[in-house]
Amino acid sequence: MADNASPDNATDIRTAPTRTQDRPTEVTAAGIARLAGVGRAAVSNWRRRHADFPKPVGGTETSPAFALRDIEQWLRDQGKLAEVPLRERVWQQLVGHPAGAAAALRQAGAVLLLAHDRPAAWQQLRAAADDAELTGVLPAVLDAVLAARLGPGHPVRGLTREALAPSAALIRATGDLAAADGAAAAYDFLLGRHLDANPRQYTLTPPGPAALMAELAAVAGPSGTVLDPACGAGALLAAAGESTAGEGDAPGTLYGQEADADLAALTALRLALGVPDAQVRVRAADTLRADAFPDLSADAVLVHPPFNERNWGHDELAYDPRWEYGFPARTESELAWVQHALARLREGGTAVLLMPPAAASRRSGRRIRADLLRRGALRAVIALPAGAAPPNGVPLHLWVLRKPGTTPPAPQLLVVDTAGPATGAPAGRDKPDWQSVRTTAVEAWRAFDRDGGIEEQPGVRRSLAAIDLLDDDVDLAPARHLPPPAAAGGPAELARVRERLTATLARTTALTPRPDAAAAGPARWPLTTVGELARAGALVLRAGGAGTAPAGGAAPAVLTDHDVIGGGAPTGALPEAPAPGPAEEPVLLQAGDVVVPVLGGGAVARVADDSTAGAALGRNLTLLRPDPAALDPWFLAGFLRGTANNRRASSYASTATRLDVRRLQLPRLPLADQRRYGQRFRDLAAFEEALRLTARLGEQLVQGLHDGLTDGSVTPD
């Protein structure tokens, strides 16, 4: 399909060269902010204050676009462009390219591959040619480099003289970026930014699952050839290259196929630059309908297939020879990918697929699952923790398969649950602890693959005979077959929980507040608002949600809105900064800060103490940092929790109630009176926390006794 489209695209470009070349490279307000290293509010301020600020040349009234060359000149004249990183300027040229970001990224990637593979030729060509000569000579040079690295029929199309004519500035800037950062790092940055800018267009495999899948496939030894028939952005193939290259033996050839022609081209360039010791063969076509590698016998196959796809070719492929284990139902597209992976493996080769959990238990797929088990093809099902990969709310599975040979192993299945206590991940963390997940999964698979069985670990791993699974459902979900862990440490641990609960109940009784003397009527205090206090300098307002974690460095935990509402410790994690960009500083909590949820929290405000100090402020939270000489934090938090106060400051314009923190009111009182109220609010907070602890301990004791009675570790007496 990509081969047929390329000539048409080239014809369109040739028939309208003037229109393409005359259109200026555009940049949005967000891009201007990145160029100048400021916030978007500063750009809006410049537009209002400076009459000579460039006028929009495109976009919409709410999101105007400006000519990049005019913006750069204005920033340069104002002395605001001196410290802009080169990679940011290249990115702005790329996203504003008249042919579109994907086409410009293909051109930039091809130039980077030339600079990487033939640096002397690139430097000579760049120095000797003016812009017209450069774009005229480049197509033939790039074709030669791409053919050498990607083979005939590669998907990087459209690098004609006409297509490159508007790109001379981008080509030269890309060469500068290659000299500064290295060609591979430069392309990683540009491709990563492009993927991040189009999150709905691409489903990506995160680095953690990709590395784990590559390691599981390579347990038997480095792979000579690796195939990903649904390669997307190439994360799995890149991980396979990195995993074996780390052992000094890179794979001989990386094969990939992707239905999206643009993405296939970008992925081919990524792999050629990122795994330079491997041959790269990426093709653009629908794998199930038009297999690009029908004669391949790969050493390993890694796949993150599209989930729940109904239009996968069910009607056209009824008699396809790949369905060795049964013809998949229309609703079982994942089992079609499983059989395609097995069909492209050599005997004894390993395939690892990222699968939705429903594929392990849907009745429509039970016959195929049963045959995979009987013949020893399906070797392991590994449950991952939720958040491993999109969709993040679903705990996905890894299926590990081995192509049966002349003497298949005894039909056994390894089931592993890495989402349980064995992962060691703190409860409630947004991101899984991938080091623990990897250790649990790889150690279990390595021992099972070596010995044909494994020592059972309740709640974590177990080896099952296939015959025990061949019932009416053939349900392979690990949770169905793993015995539960011992009940909360046994009777001794339950006794300790009971003692803590008894002591907490006694403390809760002592802390139960009394109304004391009731006032004659509602107080008539003079009132002020949080907004007025902020303007007067009595407190500082900060919004949460910003910040990134440095690549490979330590990062603070994030206090989320759920933590504030539930009274728990910080459980969130900062997203990683895009390499090689710097990390963005988050808002960090200090003891005495007051944190208020602004979305659906109700009457909630929390005072940060030493246990939460240093945590980053999460999304949908507002921080109020009072001046201790003017405001008592507990007095502030207590009055912010008033029900009537929250009702007055809430917006009901949408289905989600949003709190306007600046409209919250509190009385004007002397600091001494504030502290009296503050102490009472502090006592109420201690009582509230005791109630929460009582509830948690009670639930732990009840569940522990249920588990102990049902598994026999606790007797009815």
Side-chain angles (χ1 to χ4, degrees), residues 283-373:
R283 301 294 177 261
D286 183 326
T287 295
L288 295 181
R289 289 186 173 91
D291 184 9
F293 309 107
D295 301 322
L296 180 64
S297 294
D299 296 291
V301 177
L302 304 174
V303 196
H304 178 180
F307 296 162
N308 303 317
E309 191 178 46
R310 297 299 180 97
N311 186 28
W312 58 269
H314 178 271
D315 295 337
E316 305 103 291
L317 302 173
Y319 300 103
D320 196 288
R322 288 173 292 183
W323 316 142
E324 187 178 346
Y325 299 86
F327 181 41
R330 189 184 301 277
T331 56
E332 294 287 354
S333 62
E334 296 87 3
L335 294 182
W337 287 99
V338 165
Q339 295 190 75
H340 176 83
L342 285 167
R344 296 296 162 261
L345 278 175
R346 64 165 174 81
E347 286 190 3
T350 304
V352 184
L353 288 89
L354 187 64
M355 301 283 280
S361 56
R362 281 190 297 239
R363 287 188 60 81
S364 55
R366 65 189 186 278
R367 295 184 185 277
I368 295 177
R369 293 195 298 271
D371 208 29
L372 290 169
L373 287 173

Side-chain angles (χ1 to χ4, degrees), residues 23 113 158 244 267 274 355 375 380 453 462 474 541 543 561 669:
R23 180 181 171 186
L113 186 59
T244 51
T267 298
M355 301 283 280
R375 298 171 61 180
R462 184 183 182 189
V474 197
L541 279 172
D561 51 348
L669 294 179

Side-chain angles (χ1 to χ4, degrees), residues 14 48 72 167 194 205 258 416 442 459 483 493 495 503 523 595 617:
R14 283 195 294 269
R48 288 193 303 269
E72 287 182 334
S167 306
H194 175 68
T205 308
E258 167 58 40
V416 182
V442 173
E493 177 61 23
V595 182
L617 188 68

Side-chain angles (χ1 to χ4, degrees), residues 526-690:
L527 298 174
T528 186
T529 65
V530 169
E532 291 172 350
L533 291 170
R535 287 192 292 273
L539 57 82
V540 175
L541 279 172
R542 300 290 300 275
T548 54
V558 175
L559 184 72
T560 69
D561 51 348
H562 298 291
D563 302 331
V564 175
I565 294 169
T571 62
L574 290 171
E576 289 188 2
E584 181 184 354
E585 289 294 329
V587 178
L588 299 180
L589 292 169
Q590 298 177 8
D593 289 344
V594 177
V595 182
V596 181
V598 297
L599 193 63
V604 178
R606 177 172 172 181
V607 179
D609 56 15
D610 292 336
S611 66
T612 52
L617 188 68
R619 295 178 57 195
N620 299 322
L621 293 175
T622 296
L623 177 146
L624 291 76
R625 182 165 291 162
D627 180 354
L631 280 174
D632 179 81
W634 286 99
F635 164 80
L636 174 63
F639 273 94
L640 296 188
R641 286 191 60 172
T643 301
N645 201 1
N646 275 261
R647 186 177 295 116
R648 283 190 295 267
S650 296
S651 166
Y652 295 92
S654 66
T655 55
T657 302
R658 190 169 187 88
L659 186 70
D660 185 350
V661 176
R662 290 178 174 273
R663 295 171 58 187
L664 290 169
Q665 296 179 335
L666 62 158
R668 297 179 182 271
L669 294 179
L671 191 57
D673 290 341
Q674 291 182 33
R675 287 172 177 159
R676 286 176 49 231
Y677 277 97
Q679 183 57 53
R680 191 62 186 268
F681 287 134
R682 189 193 294 258
D683 294 341
L684 286 174
F687 175 64
E688 186 177 40
E689 178 55 34

